Amino acid sequence: QVQLVESGGGLVQAGGSLRLSCAASRSIFSMGWYRQAPGKQRELVARITSVGSTYYADSVKGRFTISRDNAKNTVYLQMNSLKPEDTAVYYCNADYLKAYWGQGTQVTVSS
């Protein structure tokens, strides 16, 4: 079993920044962030491996940065230049024999 605890969501104006954190209960090779807006499917935002390989969705490239602290089993998502279309519930994800999900954290970007 893997527990994921997220923090850092909130309300911000367009152009602002937020940082999300996700602490895992054990070391996980691949972790990432997904988001789900109302009426839409959950989509991958960014992923990172324990050796630092990253992937970003085209919609967030150049604005979001995923990073991790392996000593703390924690992954971060720095979100800059936020847009109203970034509004969603953001979920931390970890792949360890199966997919594990955090509880979700709301990010709301006002125009």
Side-chain angles (χ1 to χ4, degrees):
Q1 280 288 75
V2 176
Q3 285 76 47
L4 301 173
V5 179
E6 304 166 7
S7 60
L11 172 65
V12 65
Q13 289 188 332
S17 298
L18 285 173
R19 190 175 86 150
L20 306 182
S21 299
C22 173
S25 57
R26 61 164 296 141
S27 175
I28 304 291
F29 178 73
S30 178
M31 295 183 68
W33 290 95
Y34 287 70
R35 66 186 181 187
Q36 188 166 20
K40 295 188 176 182
Q41 288 189 328
R42 191 172 296 189
E43 63 175 359
L44 175 62
V45 175
R47 292 202 69 86
I48 187 168
T49 69
S50 59
V51 296
S53 297
T54 58
Y55 166 86
Y56 294 95
D58 287 343
S59 58
V60 306
K61 281 181 181 176
R63 300 188 298 121
F64 291 11
T65 302
I66 191 169
S67 62
R68 63 189 289 167
D69 184 334
N70 291 331
K72 296 181 179 180
N73 297 331
T74 299
V75 63
Y76 306 97
L77 186 67
Q78 178 66 44
M79 305 184 293
N80 299 329
S81 302
L82 283 160
K83 304 175 181 180
E85 51 264 44
D86 295 317
T87 295
V89 178
Y90 284 69
Y91 295 91
C92 179
N93 167 266
D95 286 335
Y96 183 72
L97 302 181
K98 69 174 187 178
Y100 291 89
W101 297 94
Q103 78 277 13
T105 185
Q106 178 70 45
V107 171
T108 302
V109 184
S110 63
S111 57

